[in-house]
Amino acid sequence: MAQWTSAVGAAQLARLLTSQQDRPAGPGTRRPPAYRALADGIRLLVLEGRVPVAARLPAERELALALAVSRTTVAAAYEALRGEGFLESRRGAGSWTAVPAGNPIPARGLEPLPPEALGSMIDLGCASLPAPEPWLTRAVQGALEELPPYAHTHGDYPAGLPALRSMIAERYTARGIPTMPEQIMVTTGAMGAIDAICHLFGGRGERIAVESPSYANILQLMREAGARLVPVAMAEGLSGWDMDRWRQVLREAAPRIAYVVADFHNPTGALADEDQRRRLVDAARSAGTVLVADETMSELWLDEDVQDAMPRPVCGFDPAGSTVITVGSASKAFWAGMRIGWVRAAPDVIRSLVAARAYADLGTPVLEQLAVNWLFSTGGWAQAVELRRAQARENRDALVAAVRRELPDWEFEVPRGGLTLWVRAGGLSGSRLAEAGERTGVRVPSGPRFGVDGAFEGYVRLPFTVGGAVADEAASRLAAAARLVESGATGATESPRTFVA
């Protein structure tokens, strides 16, 4: 019986391999043989999770034609991968990807680094900061005081606790968006909210328009749901959306859903202006597309003058509530461990989402909902988020200075909010930098994780999660990783120093 569970076509694999562009070799630099370069490219795709484990690879002749290389080159590459444990084969069943014994199966998203690895590895994988104490402790204590009446009930609130729904609705109303509690559903984080929306509106095979680049974990969630992703390129720099491209995609592809992050976009940090928001809502309404606006970064402005200039929420341009569904969360602005998110939509949409929870997670933990409600109702939220902004601002400035010093040819614009820096890595492959970083002691996600079908190979994302001496050390380790990539080293190791701060 065949051991593979999916297949990668020759044309698709060729596109993924072609996207892996390294800086041209300098004088005296030796390029690896063609078969070795091909084997390394396939190995990187497996390690990145862009080619799944147990995926059947194309036959040697098919891949040779797609890459315009000799069949001998492909056969030698496959043989090298078999010897390294990244490929298994059986006569009559073909060849399929694998991982060597003892290696973890690569994740498709940005999973947190295990705590036991933090002593020797600087983690720039997750854009999340430690909890803003003492506010987490105070919120949990406040929640425990409010818990007894709820403990005498069944504890299942598929739409969320009424008190929290009312509080979230009041917060939207205070922002100039009149909202009733019936327009709110509390979810298990923003991921839970978007998963529910995708299952309601975006069945298997449905088109979903996404910014390009976009948040890696959301892209993977949509892929797992069977969606057909339609990428829409961002405007240059931090200027938000390219509305000509959005109008064209919505008109020609007619996607069922469009997913956008208008406020300090992840990963680029871009902030869409009011005119772009208005035009996108109008275009989505004309195309019959449900526009999902992710507001998880909306309160994380870092420069003081941005606060007064923040555009209206995307849902503010949809007074009838027929086009825009808004997703919010406590995870970025407060703490990733506080798995509370919410959806704001028309009441009939909320009723459909709530009904579907009977076959999903039933509801969100009561204690965490009470904690967030305590933060909202006491003013603790505002003070905690201000602490979060100060920490992110300090980290941003330290990381920017360190990267500019250690890697002066890397290019980026400094965002005025959010938690991430989107960096063009001086002509190097982001995938190879990520692999080399594992050896030099810094964990960094490569650009293709944030794109569709191999895009953004020349980028990496750096979150504002470290500052001070740790930011300096992270940049130093990135520079060491870059040197490994530039030298074409494979399997070489620069031992990371244990770093405690």
Side-chain angles (χ1 to χ4, degrees):
M1 181 176 178
Q3 301 298 307
W4 49 272
T5 57
S6 62
V8 180
Q12 179 187 7
L13 184 55
R15 285 196 302 273
L16 291 169
L17 290 165
T18 302
S19 73
Q20 295 177 330
Q21 298 296 327
D22 278 341
R23 173 180 294 172
T29 301
R30 296 184 60 184
R31 284 290 190 185
Y35 85 89
R36 183 68 261 173
L38 176 56
D40 287 347
I42 295 174
R43 176 171 52 83
L44 275 174
L45 292 173
V46 174
L47 291 171
E48 276 278 296
R50 289 189 284 144
V51 169
V53 176
R56 185 180 186 274
L57 296 186
E60 295 171 1
R61 187 184 302 276
E62 294 174 357
L63 186 57
L65 288 172
L67 293 173
V69 299
S70 71
R71 183 177 176 181
T72 302
T73 296
V74 177
Y78 279 15
E79 182 60 32
L81 290 168
R82 277 190 288 269
E84 296 163 4
F86 285 94
L87 196 69
E88 296 181 12
S89 303
R90 180 176 299 167
R91 185 178 297 276
S95 299
W96 56 92
T97 57
V99 291
N103 281 35
I105 294 179
R108 300 297 296 273
L110 304 177
E111 74 288 355
L113 189 69
E116 61 269 18
L118 292 176
S120 60
M121 183 74 70
I122 298 177
D123 186 9
L124 297 182
C126 295
S128 300
L129 290 163
E133 289 288 29
W135 297 107
L136 175 61
T137 298
R138 292 180 182 177
V140 173
Q141 290 171 342
L144 288 172
E145 293 175 2
E146 299 292 332
L147 183 60
Y150 295 94
H152 294 291
T153 73
H154 50 63
D156 288 334
Y157 296 88
L161 295 184
L164 181 55
R165 295 177 73 195
S166 295
M167 184 60 66
I168 294 171
E170 289 177 14
R171 286 170 57 83
Y172 276 106
T173 300
R175 295 168 67 190
I177 314 296
T179 304
M180 304 179 295
E182 292 80 8
Q183 292 177 261
I184 302 296
M185 181 178 81
V186 181
T187 63
T188 307
M191 292 288 288
I194 294 169
D195 183 54
I197 294 166
C198 287
H199 279 87
L200 181 62
F201 290 99
R204 185 165 293 275
E206 291 279 4
R207 293 185 180 93
I208 299 181
V210 295
E211 296 149 325
S212 183
S214 187
Y215 179 39
N217 288 341
I218 293 295
L219 295 180
Q220 188 56 28
L221 182 155
M222 292 173 176
R223 291 187 188 102
E224 296 291 344
R228 298 164 60 190
L229 300 183
V230 182
V232 186
M234 298 287 289
E236 289 297 320
L238 300 177
S239 55
W241 299 323
D242 185 325
M243 286 312 306
D244 290 337
R245 289 172 174 163
W246 270 106
R247 280 196 302 271
Q248 180 181 3
V249 167
L250 294 179
R251 182 178 63 249
E252 296 179 357
R256 186 70 181 94
I257 299 174
Y259 169 76
V260 297
V261 184
D263 302 297
F264 310 120
H265 174 261
N266 185 356
T268 68
L271 177 65
D273 62 32
E274 287 213 0
D275 183 61
Q276 291 171 333
R277 296 170 192 234
R278 179 185 298 106
R279 292 165 65 192
L280 183 58
V281 172
D282 289 344
R285 184 182 298 114
S286 297
T289 297
V290 175
L291 185 60
V292 180
D294 187 336
E295 289 190 334
T296 56
M297 298 283 191
S298 64
E299 295 189 64
L300 290 176
W301 60 81
L302 303 184
D303 296 338
E304 294 299 332
D305 59 330
V306 177
Q307 177 180 0
D308 296 332
M310 281 294 291
R312 279 182 291 167
V314 175
C315 59
F317 301 95
D318 181 37
S322 59
T323 300
V324 178
I325 297 177
T326 303
V327 171
S329 172
S331 297
K332 296 297 185 184
F334 186 75
W335 183 47
M338 188 69 77
R339 304 303 305 157
I340 298 295
W342 52 86
V343 177
R344 181 198 180 274
D348 61 320
V349 172
I350 294 297
R351 286 193 293 269
S352 297
L353 289 170
V354 171
R357 293 192 90 167
Y359 310 102
D361 64 355
L362 295 177
T364 302
V366 169
L367 189 63
E368 292 185 26
Q369 292 187 69
L370 289 172
V372 172
N373 191 60
W374 183 92
L375 288 165
F376 285 157
S377 61
T378 63
W381 176 268
Q383 296 184 66
V385 173
E386 182 55 42
L387 183 63
R388 168 68 74 240
R389 291 191 198 104
Q391 185 179 13
R393 185 185 307 117
E394 182 178 336
N395 287 355
R396 178 196 64 180
D397 295 346
L399 186 63
V400 164
V403 173
R404 283 176 170 166
R405 182 179 62 252
E406 296 287 343
L407 295 150
D409 57 342
W410 285 21
E411 302 171 37
F412 54 86
E413 291 190 45
V414 181
R416 307 186 71 188
L419 290 171
T420 56
L421 195 67
W422 186 237
V423 181
R424 189 192 299 271
L428 299 179
S429 160
S431 297
R432 295 179 188 277
L433 279 168
E435 183 191 27
E438 295 284 345
R439 304 200 297 273
T440 62
V442 58
R443 184 169 178 266
V444 57
S446 67
R449 288 181 178 254
F450 304 88
V452 176
D453 203 15
F456 307 110
E457 182 60 53
Y459 289 80
V460 291
R461 189 194 74 169
L462 306 180
F464 312 143
T465 53
V466 297
V470 185
D472 292 338
E473 179 68 12
S476 176
R477 295 183 185 188
L478 279 172
R483 289 193 294 271
L484 284 178
V485 175
E486 287 177 318
S487 70
T490 58
T493 301
E494 291 193 17
S495 300
R497 298 183 294 275
T498 300
F499 194 88
V500 179

